[in-house]
Amino acid sequence: KVPEGRDLWLIGTGTGLAPFLSMLRNGTCFDRFEHVVLVHSVRYEEDLGYRDELEALKAERGDAFRYVPATSRADADGVLSGRVTNALEEGRLESFAGLEFSADHSQVMLCGNPAMLTDMKRMLDERGLPMHRRFSPGNVHMEKYW
């Protein structure tokens, strides 16, 4: 079980979006967290599956839901460009979402490309957000979806 927090970050690449979609559709994450941020990183804008549904959820939930579409190989309007790990390192990810990662109030779920998982895990750990373990609570939860 994901520990309590103020912000829930769901960061996925490609089809790593799938488990997050079911969480968002179920809606219980909105009962547990003040803010839910979904980062979906793909190569090209046309690969942003479920974008209309996610934009509608953003309109419905207001400030409680932040949708961050990201493309690694092409620039597009209203989309975070470049690798999501670079965007984190450069401060662009938090700026786009309007929230900062914090060990005090953030829980982060990662799903997707193994390289992204490895890099994000390291980068978040360096910022004081360690992996969550059964007997050692932390902030980062990961699923290899490849």
Side-chain angles (χ1 to χ4, degrees), residues 63-112:
D63 193 46
F65 180 61
R66 320 274 173 105
Y67 172 49
V68 180
T71 56
S72 62
R73 302 225 175 131
D75 294 339
D77 289 337
V79 172
L80 188 64
S81 62
R83 291 189 67 213
V84 70
T85 50
N86 292 348
L88 173 62
E89 195 169 55
E90 297 162 2
R92 294 182 297 114
L93 176 58
E94 291 163 300
S95 178
F96 194 103
L99 291 172
E100 293 182 357
F101 289 98
S102 166
D104 293 332
H105 55 72
S106 298
Q107 291 295 319
V108 183
M109 299 182 82
L110 305 171
C111 187

Side-chain angles (χ1 to χ4, degrees), residues 30-48:
F30 295 105
D31 297 334
R32 295 189 55 220
F33 294 91
E34 185 177 332
H35 304 113
V36 176
V37 180
L38 174 70
V39 180
H40 185 210
S41 181
V42 295
R43 290 183 180 130
Y44 302 101
E45 185 177 18
E46 58 267 17
D47 298 328
L48 288 166

